[in-house]
Amino acid sequence: MKSRFNFPTRILFGEQSLEDLPQELSSMGSKRPLVVTDRGLVNTPIPEMVSAVIQDAGMETETFSQVSPNPTDAQVDEGARVFADYGADCIVAVGGGSPMDAGKAIQIRINHHEAMEEYDDLKGGDTKITGQLPPLVAIPTTAGTGSEVSRSAVISVAAAGRKVILFSPRLMPSVAICDPTLTYGLPARITAETGMDALSHNVEAYLSKGYHPMADGIALKAISMVARNLLTATKDGKNVEARRQMMMASTMGAVAFQKGLGVIHSLAHPLSSVSGLSHGLANALMMPHALAFNSQVVPGRVADIAVALGSKDHSAQGAIDVVEELLSKLGLKARLTEVGVKESQIDDLVKNAMTDGCHTTNPRQCADDDMRSLFKSAW
Ligand SMILES: [Fe+2]
């Protein structure tokens, strides 16, 4: 048996870690970083705080904030143009998954000039990511995506009419600065939904096929951290310990899912693209049904998750029950009909779930009929 492991990037973790940004920039030789953030976050004090930390250390900086929730290739092109016009030498991506994904795509764009879909991992585009990439510092402001330690990005490409996955070890941020204080102001609903995304990464990583005991250990630990802290972080956003534990669990999720994801994400992706659900909510809704589906083939693994979640029932059913209870306590809807998913969308949902790559590492093989019955079980 041969296995290859890559463990991630340098991580600065803890309250006020943002203060160390200038030192990190200096050590990588950056003098003119470009801050990349999104349209929503630019209305909060966070991008200004980041710019101020850079400027207080005597460096100049510029901000590009034209990133939308599903970043597009046009935004990436514009970001690369701003980077070049400003003469930037580094990207500081600040926000949730969208600015971090956009930042990674801008990294590619600086020295790679083919159409963005040519770099699509699904058609071997990773081999074309060969030129020099400027360094990227990732600063997450949510606890969910884990993009700060991942080596992929998702960009909507208008000409291709679909999302393109960019994947390369070279896209792994040079440094992740995980400062939980940046999540203190997150609204309860976003805390809950993004936290369920973090839980789904760890659950799917643990269940996914393949040999990776290191990822398994990280995933189980992070599952218990989410079970103990997500409700508190949601109800008391300034709870220092809960916010810290959730940010770490989120980062651990993306470390763990280098082993693979699974059917939850394949079901969730079309629930966002076809039905407009947030990524975290879509994962949350499908998780109990996917656990039940997978427990038919890996009951012991799902039972391990029950234990990590703190269930008194150490069987696979215990995991399903705890997740359903957590959804209810977080105030998240549990049925697709309650969040506006239409019966007429089901064929599109099934088709897109099947073409999504995440379920290829799911422990149980998924056919069209499986996807259909999983959606229907959540109806
Ligand atoms: Fe996710």
Side-chain angles (χ1 to χ4, degrees):
M1 180 177 67
K2 278 186 179 172
S3 295
R4 286 170 176 70
F5 306 110
N6 289 289
F7 265 68
T9 190
R10 175 173 164 78
I11 300 169
L12 307 189
F13 187 88
E15 293 79 16
Q16 318 309 338
S17 291
L18 179 61
E19 291 171 357
D20 297 332
L21 172 62
Q23 203 180 324
E24 292 300 315
L25 291 169
S26 300
S27 70
M28 58 180 76
S30 169
K31 292 188 173 65
R32 287 172 78 82
L34 176 71
V35 174
V36 173
T37 189
D38 66 31
R39 291 169 182 164
L41 204 67
V42 82
N43 297 318
T44 75
I46 293 177
E48 287 258 302
M49 278 165 55
V50 173
S51 299
V53 164
I54 297 170
Q55 286 160 344
D56 288 352
M59 278 180 256
E60 291 182 31
T61 183
E62 176 71 89
T63 298
F64 174 69
S65 60
Q66 295 305 307
V67 179
S68 61
N70 290 300
T72 65
D73 56 330
Q75 291 163 2
V76 171
D77 289 348
E78 179 62 9
R81 190 192 61 74
V82 172
F83 184 98
D85 287 354
Y86 179 62
D89 53 19
C90 171
I91 294 168
V92 177
V94 181
S98 305
M100 288 195 270
D101 283 8
K104 290 174 186 175
I106 292 170
Q107 266 186 303
I108 296 175
R109 203 25 124 207
I110 306 300
N111 290 314
H112 297 74
H113 305 295
E114 289 188 57
M116 193 54 83
E117 59 266 36
E118 295 304 314
Y119 302 103
D120 190 351
D121 183 55
L122 288 178
K123 54 183 200 184
D126 58 320
T127 58
K128 295 188 173 180
I129 305 174
T130 54
Q132 206 186 348
L133 268 53
L136 183 140
V137 180
I139 306 180
T141 60
T142 63
T145 158
S147 192
E148 68 275 10
V149 291
S150 79
R151 64 201 73 185
S152 60
V154 182
I155 299 296
S156 295
V157 175
R162 62 184 177 84
K163 290 187 173 181
V164 161
I165 296 171
L166 307 170
F167 178 91
S168 168
R170 309 181 73 216
L171 290 179
M172 200 177 275
S174 315
V175 188
I177 297 184
C178 304
D179 184 337
T181 65
L182 301 179
T183 66
Y184 288 2
L186 273 182
R189 190 178 53 79
I190 297 178
T191 300
E193 293 182 358
T194 50
M196 289 304 289
D197 187 27
L199 179 61
S200 72
H201 294 155
N202 287 294
V203 163
E204 297 229 90
Y206 186 69
L207 295 180
S208 71
K209 291 189 291 193
Y211 176 75
H212 204 321
M214 288 189 273
D216 289 346
I218 289 169
L220 280 182
K221 174 68 179 170
I223 288 168
S224 68
M225 288 161 70
V226 174
R228 291 195 182 121
N229 293 285
L230 178 53
L231 196 57
T232 306
T234 301
K235 292 197 184 302
D236 174 12
K238 293 203 161 46
N239 186 296
V240 174
E241 184 62 17
R243 286 295 196 188
R244 181 190 299 155
Q245 296 277 334
M246 282 308 302
M247 177 151 272
M248 181 49 92
S250 162
T251 303
M252 289 164 77
V255 174
F257 80 59
Q258 58 184 300
K259 182 187 165 202
L261 284 170
V263 69
I264 300 177
H265 272 75
S266 285
L267 296 162
H269 286 148
L271 283 171
S272 296
S273 60
V274 176
S275 308
L277 269 59
S278 81
H279 178 63
L281 179 61
N283 280 313
L285 274 162
M286 297 314 302
M287 197 182 301
H289 309 282
L291 284 171
F293 176 75
N294 283 331
S295 69
Q296 299 298 312
V297 294
V298 284
R301 302 287 283 186
V302 182
D304 292 343
I305 290 172
V307 175
L309 285 167
S311 173
K312 290 196 179 74
D313 175 358
H314 291 185
S315 74
Q317 187 59 43
I320 298 163
D321 292 344
V322 171
V323 171
E324 284 180 339
E325 199 182 321
L326 184 58
L327 284 175
S328 159
K329 285 183 179 165
L330 291 169
L332 296 177
K333 304 275 193 247
R335 317 295 314 174
L336 293 178
T337 43
E338 293 178 292
V339 291
V341 180
K342 309 254 181 325
E343 190 109 42
S344 58
Q345 294 171 331
I346 188 135
D347 289 340
D348 269 355
L349 291 171
V350 170
K351 189 176 75 169
N352 286 305
M354 280 307 292
T355 54
D356 185 273
C358 292
H359 69 85
T360 55
T361 47
N362 194 65
R364 181 173 172 183
Q365 205 170 353
C366 306
D368 279 52
D369 285 352
D370 298 316
M371 296 298 191
R372 191 172 295 274
S373 38
L374 279 160
F375 282 122
K376 288 207 160 160
S377 63
W379 220 256

